[in-house]
Amino acid sequence: MSDGHRRAQAAIQTILRLTNLLMAGKRVAVIGDEPELAARLRAMGAQTLLVDPAAALRGHRVLAEDEAVALADLVVGATEAHLPLLRDGAILIPAAPPARPSGAGEPYGAGEPYGAGEPSGTGGADGEPPAGSPARPSGTGGEPSGTGGIFAGLPGVRVRDGITGYRLGPGREVFVLDMSC
């Protein structure tokens, strides 16, 4: 199994576990070069929206990137440039794992696909991070979020473990999945 297939399967399992969504009928914009992920989402019944014209030969709908992001219910590979285009209730998977708040050090899983890694070093008692390292957010509902990345300046609210909600303006809220969960 190639790394692309492994990453795609891990991403789909995490999406399904965190959101409990049924992919059938969902519009999913896949930004970037993730052909395995797009193919698996399409096989699950999602309407895949891609930018690459060659994707039409594989059964995906091809649109301009701005148009695909504006239509999508789920956006894989979102960046800061996509924020003004997102529809209300969109679910995002950032292009890179969210950064920790300023001064908190490197993000968990930096440099690994979809933030799959854990912090280095040995943990303290009861699985706590070692002394001097940032603690993971507890993830209980209603807590302010500590994630940064493309939402560094926006206050977010932890909806539940692995999902943070952000208000982009009146009547516009988006949800970001923490793929390291």
Side-chain angles (χ1 to χ4, degrees), residues 17-35:
R17 183 175 42 81
L18 291 175
T19 64
N20 203 23
L21 282 177
L22 180 62
M23 286 294 145
K26 295 288 186 250
R27 290 177 301 230
V28 182
V30 180
I31 309 301
D33 188 27
E34 294 288 346

Side-chain angles (χ1 to χ4, degrees), residues 11-12 15 23 27-34 37-38 41 49 69 72-79 82 91-95 114 177 179:
I12 288 174
I15 292 166
M23 286 294 145
R27 290 177 301 230
V28 182
V30 180
I31 309 301
D33 188 27
E34 294 288 346
L37 180 60
L41 289 166
L49 311 171
V69 169
D73 300 311
L74 174 68
V75 181
V76 179
T79 64
H82 298 125
I91 300 171
L92 307 179
I93 299 171
Y114 299 109
L177 298 185
M179 297 301 284

Side-chain angles (χ1 to χ4, degrees), residues 144-147 156-160 162-166 174-178:
S145 168
T147 59
V157 175
R158 178 75 57 175
V159 175
R160 64 180 204 208
I163 302 177
T164 305
Y166 293 92
V174 296
F175 302 93
V176 178
L177 298 185
D178 179 6

Side-chain angles (χ1 to χ4, degrees), residues 96-158:
R100 302 294 295 167
S102 61
E106 286 298 310
Y108 292 114
E112 295 180 27
Y114 299 109
E118 290 294 321
S120 60
T122 57
D126 298 323
E128 292 296 315
S133 69
R136 282 183 175 250
S138 67
T140 56
E143 284 186 336
S145 168
T147 59
I150 62 175
F151 294 97
L154 297 174
V157 175
R158 178 75 57 175

